[in-house]
Amino acid sequence: MESKLKIITALNWLEKNGRTLQVAMIPVISIMIIGVYVVVMETGGIQYVFSDAMFIPIILSGLLYGVYGGAVSAIIGAIVLGPFAPIDTFPYEAQLTVNWLYRMAFYLLVGLLTGGARDILSHYLSLLKWRSLHDRNTKLPNRYALVEAIAHVKRHSDPNHGHFLIAFSLANANELICHFGSDSLEFLISQIAYKIQSSLKAGLKTYRVQDNLICILLENVEKIEMQESIESTRKYLHESFVFKNINLHGDIYIGILEFEELRKPSSYYIQRINQVVLHSIEKNEPMLIATAEEEDIEEATNLELLGSLKTALEDKQLVMHFQPKINLLDGKIISAEALIRWNHPKLGSVPPNNFIPRAERSSLINKITMFALDQSMAQVSHWQKDGMHIKVAVNISARNLSQPNFVYNVLQLLDKHELDGRHLELELTESAVMHNESNVIRILNLLVSHGIDIAIDDFGTGYSSLHYLQKLPISTIKIDQSFVLDLLNADSSTSAHIIESTIKLAHKLDMLVVAEGVEDIATLQRLHSMGCDMAQGYYIARPASAEIFHKWHKNIDGNVSFLADS
């Protein structure tokens, strides 16, 4: 990219300064022609070799002005060294007309060839510049053209008005390519660009910044005016696109970057609009507005952390902590959820929310999950030998379920640590279930056939559906803590109704219910009265290292007496 930008910069310099250079060189070339004439006359006439020096201004004219410039210089040079220059100055001997006309023909040939070569090269350079600034397939201006446009705004912007860089992302681009081929993507991108140009002001340029991303740059407009225009454009883009007599839907998300003064390089604003439109897709917001001044430091830090995760796994910076789940009937500790923690050598303790969500969108989550399973099973095996009999729950993601050897790897770890399936519970979110449902059902059934329990985590916050509750081999539902924390809310009984209904439904389906996020005795008692089976939360115990958890479990003899004491 850097080399391409340097080429574009050089071509821009030539285009910008070429005319100035041409004008400046007119007197220089004129002086050179006169100078050659003077030298010829002073050295004895045209018969000597100094007359060949006239080729210099002729070639220079051809290079600077093309065919016409080379031809004009050749004719002038030939005339200067023709009737006005003798063959010999002493004694004086004039040239024959045929001689200097013959010389003019040679001069013209050199001037025309030089100028022609220059014109061909100039045309090629113009074509090269055009190609460097346009997308090959759609012929739309590309990322480099947008960099130039932002730089132009930077030089000529009006500080009293706002400027907006707006991105339109075709989120279902890969899906379209898979089903209808790459031609469908090129067609939709062209149509999106056409619709944007049709709905906004005439002459507006649309830039194809990435395969599925189009940007526009609005200068000197009010924010309200911009929002109204983009909203009408968004509605226009909701209409179907007809490709080869097939109606196609474009899943388009819009990111808007607002800026007044441009203090940073042009490429920075393209980077920022990419971040904005990515957040728009992740948050499922059709249109998201941000300012250029807002730094997305957190996301950049998280990506940097992701790059350090492999090293963290190898250097044993990741450790497992455990949080108990208790039976609400008798207070007995039934199991412990394994929660990963990162002791970073420079940053200290890194919260899981800073690296797990990002890791779940990469293949690294497979290594992290296998690490968590291995460490957790090793700890359970150690506890078993010490007389502490509880199962461990480990979180898995959608990517894990699509891993080819996931079931085999889990069973291998059970064998490695001399455990059977009843000592392990796997927790997955509702959203993970929705990815390739038939494959998920097959994998979960295989796991359950080996005695492993399956729990749905954060129930009620994802794509809750009775359909998968019926089909999947689920043994436990974990009610999300957002409902549990709101259970005793005097102003609203919605969470209480949701929890109560979930408990009744789960019991009718022969499933157990765990409430997570219990932070006080009143919530614990209310859950008990509702018939909830198990609870987990800070009021019972915070996540702790394996050693601390073991001591705590041993001190209370594996039984929490909160309910009995109350």
Side-chain angles (χ1 to χ4, degrees), residues 112-179:
L112 291 172
L113 287 175
T114 306
R118 180 262 185 196
D119 289 343
I120 291 171
L121 179 62
S122 178
H123 175 74
Y124 175 75
L125 289 175
S126 297
L127 182 62
L128 183 65
K129 181 186 178 183
W130 189 91
R131 286 178 177 174
S132 68
L133 296 173
H134 290 79
D135 176 62
R136 179 181 298 178
N137 296 321
T138 61
K139 307 299 185 287
L140 293 171
N142 62 15
R143 178 189 180 92
Y144 305 106
L146 182 56
V147 168
E148 283 197 350
I150 295 173
H152 180 270
V153 173
K154 192 174 182 178
R155 292 191 297 268
H156 304 95
S157 62
D158 183 351
N160 298 317
H161 292 86
H163 311 289
F164 300 90
L165 181 59
I166 303 166
F168 300 80
S169 176
L170 185 62
N172 60 334
N174 288 336
E175 185 181 1
L176 291 168
I177 292 172
C178 289
H179 291 91

Side-chain angles (χ1 to χ4, degrees), residues 46 74-75 77-85 95-109:
I46 202 73
I75 293 170
I79 291 173
V80 168
L81 295 184
F84 302 102
Q95 292 184 72
L96 295 174
T97 303
V98 67
N99 286 345
W100 67 263
L101 288 176
Y102 184 72
R103 189 182 303 109
M104 179 185 285
F106 269 100
Y107 285 174
L108 271 173
L109 179 63

Side-chain angles (χ1 to χ4, degrees), residues 73-359:
S73 291
I75 293 170
I76 293 173
I79 291 173
V80 168
L81 295 184
F84 302 102
I87 292 178
D88 197 343
T89 57
F90 186 82
Y92 186 86
E93 183 182 353
Q95 292 184 72
L96 295 174
T97 303
V98 67
N99 286 345
W100 67 263
L101 288 176
Y102 184 72
R103 189 182 303 109
M104 179 185 285
F106 269 100
Y107 285 174
L108 271 173
L109 179 63
V110 171
L112 291 172
L113 287 175
T114 306
R118 180 262 185 196
D119 289 343
I120 291 171
L121 179 62
S122 178
H123 175 74
Y124 175 75
L125 289 175
S126 297
L127 182 62
L128 183 65
K129 181 186 178 183
W130 189 91
R131 286 178 177 174
S132 68
L133 296 173
H134 290 79
D135 176 62
R136 179 181 298 178
N137 296 321
T138 61
K139 307 299 185 287
L140 293 171
N142 62 15
R143 178 189 180 92
Y144 305 106
L146 182 56
V147 168
E148 283 197 350
I150 295 173
H152 180 270
V153 173
K154 192 174 182 178
R155 292 191 297 268
H156 304 95
S157 62
D158 183 351
N160 298 317
H161 292 86
H163 311 289
F164 300 90
L165 181 59
I166 303 166
F168 300 80
S169 176
L170 185 62
N172 60 334
N174 288 336
E175 185 181 1
L176 291 168
I177 292 172
C178 289
H179 291 91
F180 303 102
S182 58
D183 288 348
S184 64
L185 174 61
E186 304 305 322
F187 175 82
L188 256 69
I189 289 295
S190 297
Q191 288 300 302
I192 291 169
Y194 172 76
K195 287 189 174 186
I196 292 170
Q197 290 170 332
S198 300
S199 62
L200 298 173
K201 61 182 181 181
L204 179 71
K205 285 187 177 181
T206 52
Y207 303 85
R208 189 178 189 182
V209 177
Q210 293 175 5
D211 285 347
N212 66 330
L213 191 69
I214 286 179
C215 287
I216 61 172
L217 185 60
L218 297 181
E219 304 174 44
N220 303 321
V221 295
E222 298 297 330
K223 188 172 183 178
I224 296 176
E225 179 188 349
M226 178 277 300
Q227 287 178 308
E228 290 175 352
S229 299
I230 298 303
E231 182 59 32
S232 64
T233 302
R234 188 175 72 84
K235 291 177 181 177
Y236 188 24
L237 292 173
H238 275 175
E239 298 176 6
S240 297
F241 298 88
V242 181
F243 172 71
K244 294 182 178 180
N245 297 321
I246 302 171
N247 288 327
L248 298 180
H249 168 70
D251 195 8
I252 299 169
Y253 287 81
I254 302 173
I256 301 173
L257 186 67
E258 179 182 4
F259 52 87
E260 293 180 359
E261 295 182 60
L262 292 92
R263 299 187 180 91
K264 297 187 178 182
S266 300
S267 57
Y268 166 80
Y269 299 97
I270 298 177
Q271 176 188 332
R272 280 288 294 127
I273 193 62
N274 270 283
Q275 293 171 354
V276 176
V277 80
L278 178 62
H279 288 330
S280 172
I281 295 170
E282 289 177 344
K283 296 177 180 179
N284 198 27
E285 294 184 22
M287 190 163 66
L288 187 64
I289 303 177
T291 63
E293 286 70 29
E294 294 174 10
E295 291 280 358
D296 202 347
I297 297 173
E298 183 180 353
E299 181 67 17
T301 303
N302 290 350
L303 285 171
E304 187 178 343
L305 284 172
L306 193 65
S308 305
L309 261 177
K310 189 175 180 182
T311 304
L313 285 164
E314 294 170 352
D315 295 350
K316 297 182 180 179
Q317 297 172 18
L318 300 178
V319 295
M320 303 308 298
H321 282 202
F322 299 89
Q323 187 176 33
K325 300 177 189 177
I326 66 168
N327 187 330
L328 288 181
L329 289 177
D330 55 16
K332 183 179 179 181
I333 299 171
I334 297 174
S335 65
E337 181 177 0
L339 302 164
I340 200 162
R341 296 291 183 265
W342 186 356
N343 297 321
H344 196 281
K346 293 182 179 178
L347 302 176
S349 180
V350 180
N353 287 341
N354 286 8
F355 64 93
I356 291 296
R358 190 64 187 80

Side-chain angles (χ1 to χ4, degrees), residues 491-506:
D491 298 326
S492 175
S493 57
T494 303
S495 293
H497 291 321
I498 291 173
I499 293 173
E500 196 166 22
S501 300
T502 301
I503 292 170
K504 289 179 180 179
L505 174 63

Side-chain angles (χ1 to χ4, degrees), residues 281-490:
I281 295 170
E282 289 177 344
K283 296 177 180 179
N284 198 27
E285 294 184 22
M287 190 163 66
L288 187 64
I289 303 177
T291 63
E293 286 70 29
E294 294 174 10
E295 291 280 358
D296 202 347
I297 297 173
E298 183 180 353
E299 181 67 17
T301 303
N302 290 350
L303 285 171
E304 187 178 343
L305 284 172
L306 193 65
S308 305
L309 261 177
K310 189 175 180 182
T311 304
L313 285 164
E314 294 170 352
D315 295 350
K316 297 182 180 179
Q317 297 172 18
L318 300 178
V319 295
M320 303 308 298
H321 282 202
F322 299 89
Q323 187 176 33
K325 300 177 189 177
I326 66 168
N327 187 330
L328 288 181
L329 289 177
D330 55 16
K332 183 179 179 181
I333 299 171
I334 297 174
S335 65
E337 181 177 0
L339 302 164
I340 200 162
R341 296 291 183 265
W342 186 356
N343 297 321
H344 196 281
K346 293 182 179 178
L347 302 176
S349 180
V350 180
N353 287 341
N354 286 8
F355 64 93
I356 291 296
R358 190 64 187 80
E360 285 181 336
R361 301 200 298 271
S362 75
S363 58
L364 267 176
I365 195 62
N366 294 328
K367 290 185 177 181
I368 292 172
T369 301
M370 286 301 118
F371 171 84
L373 285 166
D374 186 30
Q375 295 294 304
S376 301
M377 290 185 200
Q379 195 56 60
V380 169
S381 178
H382 175 74
W383 286 338
Q384 295 276 353
K385 292 171 184 175
D386 203 39
M388 180 174 150
H389 301 283
I390 62 171
K391 71 165 62 175
V392 67
V394 179
N395 291 279
I396 62 173
S397 72
R399 274 188 175 268
N400 298 139
L401 296 175
S402 62
Q403 193 179 352
N405 299 320
F406 180 68
V407 175
Y408 174 79
N409 291 338
V410 172
L411 297 180
Q412 284 288 97
L413 288 174
L414 285 171
D415 288 341
K416 173 184 174 182
H417 298 292
E418 300 178 345
L419 297 171
D420 55 47
R422 62 190 174 87
H423 294 114
L424 177 64
E425 181 178 55
L426 297 177
E427 296 185 4
L428 65 157
T429 61
E430 297 171 84
S431 57
V433 175
M434 303 304 291
H435 292 276
N436 197 352
E437 184 181 304
S438 59
N439 184 59
V440 169
I441 292 172
R442 181 183 63 82
I443 291 173
L444 295 185
N445 278 322
L446 276 173
L447 292 167
V448 169
S449 68
H450 289 87
I452 299 169
D453 286 334
I454 305 297
I456 293 293
D457 198 10
D458 302 332
F459 184 81
T461 60
Y463 304 94
S464 300
S465 171
L466 298 180
H467 168 71
Y468 72 72
L469 287 181
Q470 179 188 18
K471 285 195 168 186
L472 296 176
I474 301 166
S475 59
T476 305
I477 288 175
K478 292 188 73 177
I479 298 174
D480 186 69
Q481 62 178 339
S482 61
F483 299 110
V484 177
L485 293 171
D486 197 46
L487 177 60
L488 302 179
N489 186 349

